Amino acid sequence: MRAGLCSDLVFTPESRLENHRRIAEVAKLAAGQNLNVVVSTMAPQHGQRDIVARVLENLLVWIYVHAPLDVCIKRDPKGLYHREQEGKLGNLLNFPFDTPRPPEREHFIDTVAQNEEGSAQSVLELVQVHLSDFAI
């Protein structure tokens, strides 16, 4: 999304909010075509989650993935944190990590207790449980 549809956005609070809105709109379009959509974003602010909920309404299952900053840096497949430390991204880390578990989260995955494969398997299991929720 950041390299394509949202390439005009930066990492300001306003751009982060717009990024989430666009992602939710694309997910809604895909869901409208009877596709099952799994979206992964970093949404530590309530406003970001609120705009997603407004766009997707009842087409949404929340999963809170607990991923402390040190775990994210260690498992950074895209090299974003390294590029941020070199000053190539600007404001990527300009928001609080390790935010408390939001109250609206339905499910919890702990990336500290699970490796990448275990965390991915937990997400897949949750998706399978909820597939029938959205059957048309």
Side-chain angles (χ1 to χ4, degrees):
M1 292 297 296
R2 281 282 184 178
L5 186 60
C6 298
S7 63
D8 62 317
L9 301 177
V10 292
F11 291 102
T12 63
E14 297 81 16
S15 285
R16 289 176 194 273
L17 189 64
E18 177 61 13
N19 184 58
H20 283 84
R21 188 196 65 77
R22 291 181 191 180
I23 290 169
E25 293 288 355
V26 170
K28 185 176 182 178
L29 288 171
Q33 297 299 311
N34 297 324
L35 296 172
N36 295 305
V37 181
V38 177
V39 176
S40 173
T41 66
M42 295 170 62
Q45 304 299 318
H46 179 73
Q48 295 162 340
R49 298 186 302 273
D50 186 50
I51 199 163
V52 168
R54 280 186 292 178
V55 170
L56 293 173
E57 299 172 342
N58 63 338
L59 297 173
L60 182 62
V61 175
W62 290 106
I63 301 172
Y64 175 70
V65 178
H66 174 64
L69 181 58
D70 61 323
V71 173
C72 292
I73 291 172
K74 183 176 157 186
R75 299 177 181 172
D76 182 16
K78 295 181 181 179
L80 291 175
Y81 299 100
H82 179 71
R83 290 175 27 214
E84 164 69 14
Q85 290 170 339
E86 292 177 342
K88 294 181 180 177
L89 293 179
N91 290 329
L92 175 68
L93 301 177
N94 191 19
F95 64 86
F97 269 77
D98 303 331
T99 56
R101 181 178 176 178
E104 69 270 22
R105 296 295 77 82
E106 297 171 10
H107 304 288
F108 179 82
I109 295 175
D110 187 355
T111 64
V112 176
Q114 293 180 303
N115 62 18
E116 295 97 322
E117 292 80 18
S119 297
Q121 183 61 40
S122 294
V123 171
L124 288 174
E125 290 169 5
L126 287 170
V127 168
Q128 289 173 335
V129 166
H130 288 283
L131 279 177
S132 63
D133 294 349
F134 304 109
I136 296 176

